[in-house]
Amino acid sequence: MKWEKLKPPEPDDPMCCCECDIYQYGCCCDCEDLDEAFSRWLKDKPSKGGCQCPVFGAVMEHLEISMIPALLLLPLLLRVAALHYLLGVIILTALPGLVLWYYYATHRRKRRTLFFLTLALYSLAYMYYLFITEIVPRGDVGQLQVFAATAGMILTIVSLIYTKRGPGFVTASPQNAQTVNQKAGKDSALSNGSTSGTSAEPQATKHTLTARWSRCAVCKMLRPPRAGHCRTCRSCVQRLDHHCIWINSCVGQANHRSFLLTLCVFVLTSLYGISLVLCSLCPQQYLVTALFYCPGVYSQSSTALCFTCAWYSSIVTGGLLYLLLAQVLNISFNVTEREAQLALRNKTGQSRLWGLVVDTGEYSRGFVQNWVEFLTMTDASVPSRSSRTDLV
């Protein structure tokens, strides 16, 4: 039963009774932890001066007290790992598990949290600080290389800000049903003019078009095809892919391309920065072997710390590289992560490429057409499977 509470919310699952906000301090429900109660107490505490600064109010609105120990412990753990290579292996191996344990212990009951986003931005800023203060003064990195690394970091932050603008929420508009009926009427008129079949064919076409639109059981409104409800954001998202905890937002039709751009720029910038650090610390070693064997790197505390941070960046980059590969494969097969999970649950999809992608075969129109559709975000509501059956 404990594992059921730790499971992430499945797509379109009904909300549980613990997701209500009726009681302000959560005293009658066991869903709010001590950190959230303390944050609410801070936000509800009146100011002594009679006026409240809007910046301070915004900070207190998104304050999470339990993030502070994680931000303080990260540089300390990296410096301890730089003392000896055995400590580095132990700490860097256990660090992902420690982060996940700390997250589940303090934030797992939160619907939305800035934990991973703050940790990622803090790690990025700390790695860049060490690069400027420790690697650049060694004289092995040119100004053009520093400019390229800085430009990559700035472009990553800009694309992340653009991604955070919104995934494309489904708005409750009374014109949705009218739009569906208009599309159904146009297609039925075209079918009447092009074919001389019976009257049952236009009715079947109209029923098929209206069936692609669904009504959300939580939001109580019509949503377009491939849209889904996110329990974390409490709203329906157009072409919902998944809710990304690293950006604290959903990935949908409006920000999927910028999300992919953020991943690409971050991975390329991180790999470039790691190569610059390793070439400066181990100039006589090859780039791949320098990450595993760099003699004399532990002779100084500064070089050992930079080498340890290079390993830390490699672990983070490896995880995001896997995420980038999964996104590229899903786009190539024109399937979202939500649709892949539903296909695995309903056993309607096929695993391809050693389980890296789930092919539903519903919206795929070929490799080139799938990427054109993703880059232009055109209407992909007409499944290829249904179009073939209509022709028959």
Side-chain angles (χ1 to χ4, degrees):
M1 296 300 295
K2 294 183 178 180
W3 172 247
E4 293 294 331
K5 296 182 180 180
L6 297 179
K7 288 176 62 178
E10 296 292 341
D12 294 340
D13 278 352
M15 292 189 299
C16 65
C17 60
C18 300
E19 295 184 2
C20 58
D21 289 334
I22 300 177
Y23 302 100
Q24 184 177 6
Y25 295 100
C27 57
C28 298
C29 186
D30 193 24
C31 288
E32 305 295 340
D33 55 358
L34 181 61
D35 174 61
E36 186 170 351
F38 185 65
S39 299
R40 290 181 176 180
W41 176 80
L42 288 175
K43 289 183 287 186
D44 294 338
K45 185 177 181 180
S47 58
K48 297 180 180 180
C51 59
Q52 185 178 3
C53 178
V55 178
F56 179 76
V59 172
M60 298 305 296
E61 181 71 22
H62 300 284
L63 180 63
E64 294 183 10
I65 304 298
S66 55
M67 288 192 310
I68 299 178
L71 300 181
L72 295 178
L73 285 176
L74 180 61
L76 180 61
L77 290 176
L78 292 178
R79 290 187 178 274
V80 173
L83 296 177
H84 197 270
Y85 70 94
L86 291 179
L87 288 175
V89 172
I90 295 174
I91 292 178
L92 292 178
T93 303
L95 190 59
L98 290 175
V99 171
L100 291 177
W101 173 82
Y102 188 79
Y103 167 75
Y104 280 115
T106 58
H107 290 75
R108 67 181 177 88
R109 292 189 179 97
K110 290 181 177 293
R111 285 178 290 270
R112 301 195 68 181
T113 175
L114 298 174
F115 180 83
F116 290 100
L117 178 61
T118 305
L119 185 62
L121 293 178
Y122 180 77
S123 301
L124 181 63
Y126 186 68
M127 296 300 112
Y128 183 76
Y129 168 77
L130 291 179
F131 176 76
I132 296 298
T133 58
E134 299 293 342
I135 299 300
V136 175
R138 294 173 61 90
D140 300 327
V141 179
Q143 295 182 356
L144 184 61
Q145 295 172 330
V146 175
F147 174 78
T150 305
M153 189 193 69
I154 295 176
L155 184 59
T156 301
I157 296 176
V158 171
S159 58
L160 178 61
I161 294 174
Y162 189 78
T163 304
K164 288 283 293 178
R165 289 185 175 181
F169 294 105
V170 179
T171 58
S173 175
Q175 298 178 354
N176 288 343
Q178 183 179 1
T179 304
V180 176
N181 293 330
Q182 289 178 357
K183 289 183 178 179
K186 290 180 180 179
D187 284 3
S188 61
L190 290 176
S191 61
N192 286 329
S194 59
T195 59
S196 57
T198 60
S199 60
E201 294 180 356
Q203 295 177 358
T205 305
K206 182 177 181 179
H207 177 72
T208 304
L209 285 172
T210 54
R212 297 193 192 109
W213 287 69
S214 60
R215 181 175 296 275
C216 179
V218 181
C219 299
K220 306 298 182 182
M221 64 179 180
L222 288 175
R223 59 188 183 185
R226 308 190 73 175
H229 182 83
C230 177
R231 289 177 54 188
T232 306
C233 296
R234 295 179 175 182
S235 181
C236 289
V237 179
Q238 297 181 6
R239 202 181 184 274
L240 175 63
D241 188 82
H242 70 287
H243 182 88
C244 183
I245 59 175
W246 291 103
I247 64 174
N248 191 29
S249 176
C250 284
V251 178
Q253 182 175 350
N255 64 347
H256 201 169
R257 290 173 294 184
S258 58
F259 176 75
L260 185 66
L261 178 62
T262 305
L263 286 178
C264 293
V265 175
F266 179 83
V267 169
L268 292 177
T269 304
S270 181
L271 291 177
Y272 184 69
I274 293 172
S275 64
L276 292 179
V277 172
L278 294 178
C279 290
S280 178
L281 298 178
C282 306
Q284 298 179 356
Q285 299 289 333
Y286 291 102
L287 186 60
V288 179
T289 58
L291 192 60
F292 299 94
Y293 179 72
C294 187
V297 73
Y298 286 95
S299 60
Q300 298 179 2
S301 59
S302 60
T303 57
L305 179 60
C306 294
F307 184 75
T308 304
C309 291
W311 258 107
Y312 173 75
S313 301
S314 301
I315 295 174
V316 176
T317 306
L320 294 181
L321 185 61
Y322 174 79
L323 178 60
L324 177 61
L325 178 62
Q327 287 290 315
V328 170
L329 291 178
N330 286 340
I331 296 171
S332 301
F333 284 89
N334 200 357
V335 60
T336 62
E337 188 66 26
R338 170 181 173 272
E339 293 169 352
Q341 293 180 8
L342 292 176
L344 288 177
R345 185 197 303 178
N346 300 328
K347 297 181 180 180
T348 57
Q350 297 180 357
S351 298
R352 300 289 181 87
L353 300 177
W354 304 281
L356 294 177
V357 64
V358 177
D359 184 15
T360 60
E362 188 174 2
Y363 299 101
S364 181
R365 299 176 180 176
F367 178 81
V368 177
Q369 187 63 29
N370 291 339
W371 274 97
V372 170
E373 182 180 301
F374 172 78
L375 295 177
T376 57
M377 280 298 172
T378 55
D379 186 13
S381 60
V382 182
S384 59
R385 184 182 300 171
S386 62
S387 62
R388 287 194 297 266
T389 55
D390 290 340
L391 291 177
V392 175

